[in-house]
Amino acid sequence: MRWGIPKPRPKSREADLDRELRAHLELEAEQQSDSGLTPEEARYAARRAFGNVTLTKEEVRQMWGWTRWDIFIQDLRYALRSLRKSPGFAMAAFLTLALGIGASTAVFTIVDSVLLRPLAYRDSGRLVALWERPRMLGGEATGPNPRHVDIWQKRATAFSGLTFLRHMAISLTVSTEHPQMAPIVASPPNLFDVLQVQPLLGRTFIPEEGVPGHASVVILTYPFWQSLFHGDPGVIGKTIRTGNVSHEIVGVLPSDFHFPSGTTLRAFRRGGKALNGGLDPLLFMSAGLDVTQMEWNGNYGNWVALGRLKPGVAISQAAAQVNVIQNQIVQEMPASEGDHRPGSLLASVQPLQEAMVGDSRTELWLLMSAVLGLMLIACLNLANAQLGRGMARSREFAVRAALGAAKGWLVWNSVAENLLLAGCGGVAGVLLAGFSLDLFRRYSPVDLPRLSEVHLNLAVLAFSIALILAVSLLSGLLPALRLLSTDPQAALQQSTARALGSRHSNRLRRWLIGLQVAGCTALLLVTGLFSKSLLHLLRQDKGFETRKVIVAEARLAPGEYATDQSRISFNDAVLENLRAIPGVQIAAMVSAMPLDGESWIEPVQRIDRPRLETPLINFRWVSPGYFEATQQKLVAGRFFEERDRQMSNVILSEGEAKALWGSESPIGGQVKIEGRTFTVIGVVGDSRNTSLKTPPPRMAYVHYTDRPPYTSFFLIRAPTPVSTLAPGIRQAIWKYAPDATIARVQTLDSQLTDSLATERFQTSVLLSFGAAALLLAMLGIYGVLSYSVITRKQEIGVRMALGATRSSIYALTFGEAGTPVVVGLAAGLAASLLAGRLIQKLLYGVQAVDATVILTVTALFLISATAAAFLPARRAASVDPMTTLRAE
């Protein structure tokens, strides 16, 4: 084609083609007329000689090339017109696909953001977390001693940089009457050098700012800069106040910088979530530490060590080198500190992303498997419905095939409906996923790693497109191929009912139902295991009472309350104010929030038997009234009283007392904790006050005046709702200390719920998936039996005319669904047994093979299947044999 000559438009080319074909036909008609035929006979003869005009047009259009898109659009329009004739089916399929694709896209977005995508740091694959494994703590991985990290930094050659950090919550004064809680990260100045992060504004820390007593500076995260200073570029040099200390702002981090929270990257790896909560840090503070003043064998579980491997260094090489240095540290320790036997202080190195993800990996892949299983069930349901519709349209396809339509185009025309449905459902599903993820980020009930990084991206969109195509092929290809195997001549000769009722087509649809039942059964059985596990956690004996108990967390600034006496006075005054509130029955305090994980792990030994094995205990400082407020059982001795203020007395848990004294009475005995001697005055029953997911820990309780904490948890037992008492509780604290930070006021029941947030979320999601799968399976059974009743109407009429009773027709209809349901149940049970082994570590008090769950799910499915089959069976039993035979 020469330049300047416009390309013919599609309509012009179609007109030219019509004129050319008419010219051929007219020429052929003239030649036939010359042979003696009449004009009418000549036209018919010309058409017979020329052949199929429509087929010729199709062949010419294919040679044009660009008309393929026109044909594609025409087929989609035809599919749309076809779906408009079945609005009920179209709407049901659209909603099913929108919900299925939306749920799949949302879960895959989380999996991709948390598990698959690398961390948002330069060369993030070389970032590692380092842990110590002291024998005194049972060899479990925990945050290292900063003094040891300093030695690693000086001697290890496998790392280009090493640092350590601590997640903290501080009182931040932000133009309000009372301070607010702010999660922060304190670290030496080289943290951002290890991460290789450059600030958006200002600078990062410099080495001089890690010297004790040097100027206190902070770096803001981008969200905190936006919320507190509204994106003011002149923020550098301004100050913010924490307690009575002012900090200069020296930098602002970029918007794409994400740092793990204290829950995601836990310094203390045992028993539950971190004490600092799951909020991302708002600012970073340079920690001026003199690590040489720290104890050699202690301070474990408070800090996290991060390192960057040198290029070409494997994690195993780095771990071996660090363990060599650990043996050197053991030898260099003073004789009075620690265990000097070889292997008493090991270390491990772990990829940072793996350390952040932790147990979430198995949980997320479980949810991904569940949602894909639900999507598969939806596809099978849609394929079954399309198969029924396809059989109903078999005459139409037979006519098109007889007119010369290519089989490939017939297949494409069948798939086009599904592609249109899946495309519309996919777009709606992606929009729904984006909306759901936005809500999930804001109001997530679980501490999910890298939650702030969860966003739709190109990889997720590619997954959604692939899912749409897979849904279209899976649900449309089987019905299309089934139509191709139909003989057009036989289809034209048969009635619609016989075409629908072919034995092969009904058998195929029943086996599709069997696959749905298998997938649904496996999903329901896994859901049942998680539900029973959650119920076990909720119903087990906690050893204390949560009802009618309110907890208030108050934090004091270390600078203003540096002395023990100042913190004792604060607790005394607040307890007195709380007890004066009308309706308050008991007020007490404890140094750690119940159900908030383990803390203050220390070894304890009997004074009279120093060679006896020293078990580890959780240390707690409590006030008189604590055990009465939580209603813990007194096994022996007495609770704390006011006279214990000046005494070194301790109350042990029952498990701890038995570990030290066996069947002997521990009352009056003495134990050594942290080098100090305490006299046992009481024994309380074991309680799960650190976590419901682990056995009751061994506990030691000391009067709070022994070591008053900077963070106090006040427990108030009162029948009054928390909404009524909360203002009075806050006033009772601020009346004595207006500068105290009240982090939370909530019921102990709420804390119990929060501690099981992950398990509740998993169970609720699986329950919703299981209910949806059960509904789809029941709709499938109902649809298959309804079609079967329609197609076998004549057979049923003949049976009844020959004497078949209504009960036998009921049995015939139910029996038709019985085989695929039973086979599907068996296959689903086998699949759930395999899945159960994979999720066993996520279950509490439940085995992967649980007879109660199996029987419950089986009974539920059989009842649901019977209910789904009842209406078609009733319709079949109501067939009038005379009417049916006359119609035939």
Side-chain angles (χ1 to χ4, degrees):
M1 184 175 64
R2 296 195 302 265
W3 292 103
I5 301 177
K7 184 178 180 179
R9 296 180 180 179
K11 291 185 178 179
S12 301
R13 299 189 71 171
E14 285 287 338
D16 292 342
L17 177 61
D18 287 338
R19 283 194 298 270
E20 186 174 352
L21 291 176
R22 280 199 304 272
H24 279 291
L25 289 172
E26 290 172 357
L27 181 60
E28 182 66 28
E30 290 177 1
Q31 293 176 356
Q32 295 292 340
S33 297
D34 294 342
S35 62
L37 297 178
T38 64
E40 186 69 22
E41 292 174 342
R43 284 195 297 272
Y44 281 118
R47 288 184 176 275
R48 287 195 300 271
F50 187 83
N52 192 323
V53 176
T54 303
L55 181 60
T56 303
K57 285 185 177 182
E58 292 292 335
E59 292 174 350
V60 173
R61 290 186 187 119
Q62 288 181 13
M63 288 187 289
W64 289 348
W66 58 267
T67 55
R68 294 178 185 272
W69 290 107
D70 189 42
I71 297 171
F72 176 82
I73 294 173
Q74 287 179 3
D75 287 337
L76 289 181
R77 288 176 179 172
Y78 179 80
L80 180 60
R81 290 195 300 270
S82 177
L83 290 173
R84 287 175 60 184
K85 296 178 182 178
S86 305
F89 164 78
M91 182 56 65
F94 169 77
L95 293 177
T96 299
L97 292 172
L99 293 175
I101 294 175
S104 302
T105 301
V107 175
F108 179 77
T109 302
I110 297 175
V111 169
D112 177 66
S113 301
V114 176
L115 302 181
L116 304 181
R117 294 180 68 85
L119 300 178
Y121 306 113
R122 184 180 302 172
D123 295 328
S124 62
R126 292 198 278 125
L127 287 174
V128 295
L130 296 92
W131 311 102
E132 285 196 280
R133 298 177 177 272
R135 180 178 292 170
M136 62 179 290
L137 295 181
E140 296 188 34
T142 189
N145 183 328
R147 186 166 190 166
H148 300 170
V149 179
D150 182 63
I151 297 175
W152 297 347
Q153 189 175 21
K154 295 174 180 176
R155 301 182 186 179
T157 60
F159 305 93
S160 59
L162 268 175
T163 190
F164 53 92
L165 60 98
R166 183 173 186 175
H167 288 88
M168 303 170 63
I170 62 171
S171 302
L172 183 65
T173 303
V174 187
S175 65
T176 56
E177 182 180 356
H178 303 289
Q180 299 177 355
M181 291 302 302
I184 72 163
V185 168
S187 72
N190 68 333
L191 172 63
F192 296 103
D193 295 332
V194 172
L195 297 177
Q196 294 188 4
V197 172
Q198 297 298 322
L200 176 67
L201 297 176
R203 61 174 177 83
T204 56
F205 301 127
I206 57 178
E208 291 77 10
E209 289 162 349
V211 178
H214 205 78
S216 181
V217 296
V218 295
I219 297 175
L220 307 183
T221 60
Y222 186 87
F224 191 53
W225 174 53
Q226 290 289 328
S227 62
L228 184 61
F229 294 97
H230 309 290
D232 178 15
V235 71
I236 304 301
K238 293 184 178 181
T239 59
I240 58 175
R241 190 162 61 90
T242 60
N244 60 349
V245 180
S246 294
H247 305 271
E248 180 186 357
I249 300 172
V250 298
V252 176
L253 295 168
S255 58
D256 59 351
F257 174 83
H258 301 283
F259 197 79
S261 67
T263 303
T264 301
L265 192 60
R266 292 179 291 149
F268 188 68
R269 312 293 286 175
R270 281 179 57 179
K273 58 185 181 181
L275 300 176
N276 297 321
L279 299 177
D280 291 344
L282 298 180
L283 53 89
F284 289 77
M285 183 180 297
S286 179
L289 297 175
D290 183 2
V291 295
T292 61
Q293 299 302 312
M294 292 184 175
E295 57 184 325
W296 278 92
N297 194 29
N299 206 1
Y300 300 114
N302 296 320
W303 300 81
V304 174
L306 299 183
R308 179 176 286 275
L309 296 175
K310 288 182 178 179
V313 176
I315 288 180
S316 57
Q317 293 174 289
Q321 189 177 93
V322 172
N323 276 296
V324 170
I325 300 173
Q326 287 290 84
N327 290 331
Q328 297 171 0
I329 292 174
V330 171
Q331 299 304 317
E332 294 170 11
M333 279 185 187
S336 59
E337 292 192 50
D339 183 354
H340 290 265
R341 291 176 297 174
S344 62
L345 192 59
L346 300 177
S348 60
V349 182
Q350 184 181 27
L352 179 58
Q353 183 170 1
E354 182 181 314
M356 291 169 55
V357 171
D359 295 335
S360 299
R361 182 181 302 275
T362 303
E363 299 164 1
L364 289 177
W365 282 122
L366 171 67
L367 290 181
M368 192 71 224
S369 301
V371 75
L372 289 180
L374 178 62
M375 194 70 245
L376 177 61
I377 294 171
C379 289
L380 291 173
N381 195 292
L382 185 59
N384 223 331
Q386 286 286 53
L387 187 61
R389 293 182 75 244
M391 293 297 102
R393 297 171 60 190
S394 58
R395 278 176 170 266
E396 173 195 338
F397 280 83
V399 170
R400 296 178 70 183
L403 292 175
K407 290 188 175 182
W409 286 111
L410 290 177
V411 171
W412 156 246
N413 190 260
S414 178
V415 174
E417 283 191 14
N418 294 71
L419 183 62
L420 188 61
L421 283 171
C424 295
V427 172
V430 171
L431 295 176
L432 179 63
F435 176 74
S436 303
L437 289 171
D438 184 59
L439 293 179
F440 184 73
R441 282 192 303 271
R442 294 183 183 181
Y443 310 108
S444 173
V446 296
D447 292 326
L448 187 69
R450 307 178 67 184
L451 180 61
S452 58
E453 300 179 50
V454 175
H455 297 282
L456 293 175
N457 52 57
L458 292 178
V460 173
L461 294 178
F463 168 81
S464 300
I465 294 173
L467 188 62
I468 290 171
L469 295 176
V471 167
S472 304
L473 292 175
L474 185 60
S475 57
L477 197 58
L478 184 62
L481 294 177
R482 177 69 189 89
L483 285 173
L484 288 181
S485 63
T486 303
D487 182 14
Q489 184 176 358
L492 290 173
Q493 292 174 350
Q494 288 180 348
S495 66
T496 301
R498 287 179 179 175
L500 282 170
S502 68
R503 186 179 301 274
H504 180 71
S505 63
N506 285 337
R507 186 187 304 118
L508 179 61
R509 300 189 67 212
R510 286 197 296 271
W511 284 115
L512 287 178
I513 286 297
L515 290 175
Q516 283 184 264
V517 171
C520 182
T521 302
L523 186 54
L524 285 176
L525 286 169
V526 172
T527 302
L529 292 175
F530 273 90
S531 301
K532 188 172 182 179
S533 174
L534 178 60
L535 289 175
H536 172 78
L537 291 174
L538 291 172
R539 292 176 178 175
Q540 68 182 348
D541 182 18
K542 299 181 289 295
F544 62 96
E545 184 58 58
T546 60
R547 291 179 297 174
K548 299 181 181 180
V549 178
I550 302 172
V551 184
E553 178 184 353
R555 294 177 179 252
L556 301 175
E560 297 182 10
Y561 294 87
T563 65
D564 288 354
Q565 186 55 50
S566 63
R567 300 193 297 279
I568 292 173
S569 299
F570 167 78
N571 289 325
D572 288 343
V574 171
L575 287 173
E576 183 178 352
N577 294 339
L578 290 173
R579 289 164 184 156
I581 298 175
V584 171
Q585 299 170 345
I586 303 173
M589 64 80 59
V590 64
S591 60
M593 181 71 168
L595 299 173
D596 216 9
E598 296 191 68
S599 61
W600 285 102
I601 306 296
E602 301 291 344
V604 59
Q605 63 179 175
R606 285 177 58 171
I607 294 295
D608 57 340
R609 293 188 183 180
R611 297 182 179 276
L612 189 67
E613 182 180 356
T614 57
L616 296 174
I617 51 100
N618 280 251
F619 221 11
R620 295 289 184 272
W621 290 268
V622 302
S623 71
Y626 169 75
F627 299 107
E628 293 88 336
T630 56
Q631 296 185 358
Q632 288 186 235
K633 175 185 175 183
L634 180 64
V635 177
R638 63 178 177 85
F639 293 141
F640 285 120
E641 301 172 358
E642 285 301 313
R643 56 176 167 160
D644 295 304
R645 279 178 170 266
Q646 308 302 325
M647 302 180 183
S648 295
N649 292 336
V650 66
I651 296 177
L652 301 178
S653 64
E654 188 174 8
E656 177 68 9
K658 288 182 178 179
L660 291 173
W661 272 273
S663 58
E664 302 176 26
S665 173
I667 304 301
Q670 292 185 319
V671 295
K672 181 181 288 187
I673 306 174
E674 292 186 318
R676 296 183 296 156
T677 300
F678 293 87
T679 301
V680 180
I681 63 169
V683 176
V684 294
D686 289 333
S687 61
R688 301 177 185 268
N689 54 7
T690 60
S691 173
L692 295 178
K693 308 165 195 174
T694 56
R698 295 171 177 176
M699 305 292 300
Y701 304 91
V702 178
H703 198 281
Y704 74 94
T705 54
D706 174 76
R707 187 186 294 177
Y710 286 97
T711 300
S712 297
F713 296 88
F714 295 99
L715 279 69
I716 303 97
R717 174 166 287 279
T720 312
V722 64
S723 57
T724 304
L725 278 182
I729 293 173
R730 290 189 173 91
Q731 187 58 35
I733 297 172
W734 284 330
K735 181 179 180 180
Y736 180 83
D739 56 348
T741 303
I742 301 178
R744 51 182 163 175
V745 178
Q746 65 182 70
T747 64
L748 200 51
D749 276 335
S750 299
Q751 175 65 9
L752 174 66
T753 301
D754 292 344
S755 70
L756 297 177
T758 300
E759 287 72 21
R760 288 179 180 273
F761 176 73
Q762 289 173 343
T763 304
S764 61
V765 170
L766 289 174
L767 279 172
S768 63
F769 289 169
L774 181 62
L775 177 61
L776 289 174
M778 296 308 100
L779 289 175
I781 293 173
Y782 172 80
V784 167
L785 292 184
S786 295
Y787 269 108
S788 178
V789 170
I790 294 174
T791 59
R792 300 178 66 183
K793 197 170 183 179
Q794 181 190 11
E795 175 192 341
I796 294 172
V798 171
R799 285 175 179 269
M800 297 186 73
L802 294 176
T805 62
R806 289 171 59 89
S807 59
S808 65
I809 300 300
Y810 270 104
L812 176 68
T813 309
F814 283 124
E816 188 171 350
T819 300
V821 168
V822 171
V823 173
L825 280 171
L829 176 59
S832 69
L833 295 179
L834 177 62
R837 294 192 181 95
L838 300 177
I839 63 172
Q840 182 62 66
K841 67 177 183 179
L842 300 178
L843 303 175
Y844 303 93
V846 180
Q847 294 299 316
V849 181
D850 188 283
T852 304
V853 173
I854 293 174
L855 291 176
T856 302
V857 170
T858 302
L860 173 65
F861 217 111
L862 291 177
I863 292 172
S864 301
T866 303
F870 177 75
L871 193 58
R874 182 180 179 183
R875 193 179 298 123
S878 303
V879 169
D880 183 2
M882 295 305 297
T883 304
T884 304
L885 294 175
R886 286 198 197 98
E888 194 60 32

